[in-house]
Amino acid sequence: LKKIRFKSGQEEWRLKSDLTWAMKHWSRLYFGGHYIYHVFVPEKRLTLRKVEGIETALRKWIRHREYAHEIALYVEDEMTIKENLTMNPGVRSILFRVGSTNYFSLEPRFSMQYRWNDHWSTKASYTLMSQYVHQLGSSMLNMPTDLWVPVSDKVKPMKSHQCVVGIYYYPHVRWHLSLEGFYKTQNNLMDDDNGLDITPAYLDWKENTRSGKGRALGLEWMLRKTGGKTNGWINYTLSRAYRWFPDCSVNQGQRFPAMYDSRHMVNLVLLHKFSDFFDISATWTFNNGFYTTQPLERYNAPTTLPGEKGEKKKDIIFHVEKRNNLKTPDYHRLDLGINFHRRRRHGTSTWSINLYNAYCRLNTIGLSPDYSVSYDEQRECQYFSNDWLFPIIPSFSYTFTF
């Protein structure tokens, strides 16, 4: 019996400051910065063999810690050009140092909002972003086997350009309707070169990753109600996301859907306040699932050459035709919450009772291939079973604010 112990993560020490300066009645300046000290543990794995209750180490791999420093400064000016026109130009500068490698980037950003009348307004924005810390995994959920890794001399920072255009309608002071469209490009996009396991062998994670490009676009519609005893919102997103690797290192250079490419997403949130001492909440989430890479064919390959003596054995070879070739079933769940508030002498205490996944939907976090053989027809049938993690989970918490 074999067992694998795996560990990956990061620690952060952060110092941050944000300031606001109202220079004139038509201009408000936001500026500040932060310093972050990163400590990464990309990989730590130990393979154990257990025989008669005694565990012995078969193989050990430790990727030593990596340390990084991040310094960022930003400035943004909120300018009211006219009574119905607002502009927000800004820029952010980042210096990231890991090992002996330094990266510096300037990230300009700009947004403009025009209010046509009391009911209609439009907005457009552009943002350039850089990403220096990556999370590598094979599931939409945060799993213990995910790798947290920084950039390096071989792995460049990811750069993305995002444009957003929106139309907003206010039929009533408490109601808000919006429609936004977005388009995003990504360069130096990191992905593993096999798609099945981020660490298939005891190798450095840098040897398993490749750099490519990505695109994402979509439309988001939202209806929101604020104020009163009952409020909440509903939003629907129609989107598409795909990737490709020009060096042909992944999927032979052909375009494929991103793992998080979920065409339809719905979020429904409802909040009701019965009194100052008691309120409830309900949240329903739906999406089309995520893409995963699975072998759809397998072959039996002999381990000995024709005429060679020895025991006749066969190895099973799995064939993966393309990346992200299978999609998981739809994901949806309902979360419920109840809050009891009570005013104290020096503050307010709150008891919260929550129910995660109230109707116990067994949502898929992965697919496991399996095979059945029909001896009459000498055929092998492949099917996939759903791997799930969390059923219904109750919880409670206590909060004191002062």
Side-chain angles (χ1 to χ4, degrees):
L1 177 64
K2 291 184 179 180
K3 181 170 63 175
I4 297 178
R5 293 177 180 173
F6 185 91
K7 181 180 180 181
S8 179
Q10 67 161 328
E11 299 175 2
E12 288 185 357
W13 297 85
R14 185 184 298 258
L15 181 63
K16 184 179 180 181
S17 176
D18 298 297
L19 301 171
T20 303
W21 180 22
M23 297 185 296
K24 297 182 179 180
H25 68 279
W26 53 269
S27 178
R28 184 181 296 268
L29 197 66
Y30 303 92
F31 58 98
H34 70 246
Y35 166 76
I36 303 177
Y37 177 61
H38 300 271
V39 181
F40 297 92
V41 184
E43 295 175 78
K44 183 178 181 181
R45 289 192 291 165
L46 179 65
T47 302
L48 303 171
R49 172 181 290 173
K50 188 174 183 180
V51 180
E52 296 181 353
I54 300 177
E55 293 183 349
T56 58
L58 291 180
R59 198 168 189 183
K60 186 177 182 180
W61 168 263
I62 297 179
R63 174 70 181 173
H64 296 290
R65 293 191 174 194
E66 298 190 32
Y67 305 91
H69 303 267
E70 178 181 338
I71 300 175
L73 299 173
Y74 77 92
V75 59
E76 180 180 344
D77 190 6
E78 181 180 332
M79 300 183 296
T80 304
I81 307 301
K82 295 182 179 180
E83 184 179 353
N84 53 355
L85 178 61
T86 304
M87 301 177 63
N88 292 72
V91 65
R92 184 170 180 255
S93 62
I94 302 179
L95 175 63
F96 193 90
R97 178 178 176 84
V98 53
S100 58
T101 306
N102 295 318
Y103 288 103
F104 177 78
S105 64
L106 280 176
E107 302 175 352
R109 54 201 60 194
F110 177 82
S111 66
M112 181 177 62
Q113 183 174 5
Y114 185 81
R115 193 172 186 90
W116 299 92
N117 50 47
D118 293 339
H119 300 288
W120 290 93
S121 67
T122 57
K123 183 178 180 180
S125 66
Y126 164 78
T127 306
L128 170 63
M129 294 175 286
S130 304
Q131 183 172 329
Y132 297 92
V133 180
H134 300 275
Q135 181 183 9
L136 302 178
S138 56
S139 173
M140 288 289 289
L141 299 179
N142 296 328
M143 302 295 291
T145 54
D146 292 351
L147 300 184
W148 290 91
V149 297
V151 295
S152 65
D153 54 342
K154 297 181 180 179
V155 180
K156 307 300 181 183
M158 187 191 74
K159 299 285 184 179
S160 66
H161 302 262
Q162 179 169 292
C163 297
V164 179
V165 177
I167 302 175
Y168 308 91
Y169 176 56
Y170 307 88
H172 188 270
V173 66
R174 292 183 177 180
W175 290 91
H176 170 207
L177 181 65
S178 65
L179 178 64
E180 292 183 342
F182 65 89
Y183 181 77
K184 184 177 183 179
T185 65
Q186 298 168 306
N187 296 307
N188 298 329
L189 194 63
M190 185 186 296
D191 204 345
D192 61 294
D193 60 356
N194 57 85
L196 293 174
D197 186 358
I198 191 62
T199 52
Y202 283 72
L203 302 173
D204 191 342
W205 64 269
K206 299 176 186 177
E207 301 178 11
N208 270 342
T209 56
R210 300 294 182 265
S211 179
K213 298 178 179 292
R215 296 290 185 272
L217 66 159
L219 290 172
E220 181 174 354
W221 170 87
M222 174 180 283
L223 176 64
R224 179 190 293 268
K225 181 186 180 294
T226 59
K229 290 189 175 183
T230 302
N231 56 77
W233 65 88
I234 178 174
N235 75 293
Y236 166 75
T237 303
L238 174 66
S239 63
R240 185 183 182 188
Y242 54 89
R243 299 179 173 186
W244 74 95
F245 290 74
D247 61 355
C248 300
S249 59
V250 178
N251 205 49
Q252 301 177 353
Q254 299 179 2
R255 192 172 68 178
F256 61 93
M259 179 183 63
Y260 52 84
D261 180 21
S262 184
R263 195 60 46 88
H264 306 281
M265 292 182 287
V266 179
N267 291 287
L268 176 61
V269 178
L270 183 63
L271 309 170
H272 184 76
K273 182 178 180 181
F274 290 92
S275 65
D276 293 337
F277 307 102
F278 176 59
D279 61 77
I280 62 173
S281 65
T283 303
W284 187 73
T285 303
F286 170 87
N287 64 61
N288 273 143
F290 62 94
Y291 280 94
T292 180
T293 304
Q294 296 291 339
L296 301 183
E297 296 177 343
R298 70 173 185 175
Y299 308 96
N300 292 326
T303 58
T304 57
L305 297 174
E308 186 178 358
K309 295 182 179 180
E311 185 180 357
K312 301 296 183 181
K313 295 183 178 180
K314 292 184 179 181
D315 283 342
I316 298 178
I317 299 177
F318 294 93
H319 174 65
V320 178
E321 183 178 0
K322 58 183 179 180
R323 174 65 65 90
N324 288 348
N325 54 356
L326 209 60
K327 198 166 190 178
T328 61
D330 294 342
Y331 177 101
H332 55 86
R333 76 170 196 267
L334 174 66
D335 301 335
L336 302 176
I338 302 176
N339 300 311
F340 300 92
H341 311 279
R342 187 172 181 179
R343 294 177 182 175
R344 304 290 183 179
R345 183 177 179 181
H346 299 290
T348 303
S349 63
T350 302
W351 281 98
S352 300
I353 302 175
N354 301 289
L355 203 58
Y356 175 90
N357 196 9
Y359 52 78
C360 200
R361 163 78 175 183
L362 301 181
N363 289 299
T364 302
I365 64 168
L367 297 176
S368 298
D370 209 341
Y371 303 86
S372 62
V373 179
S374 175
Y375 293 99
D376 296 337
E377 302 179 8
Q378 295 296 317
R379 281 191 314 178
E380 183 180 66
C381 298
Q382 183 186 31
Y383 62 92
F384 293 90
S385 59
N386 295 329
D387 300 328
W388 56 273
L389 188 60
F390 296 119
I392 182 173
I393 300 178
S395 65
F396 68 92
S397 63
Y398 175 79
T399 305
F400 184 79
T401 57
F402 55 91

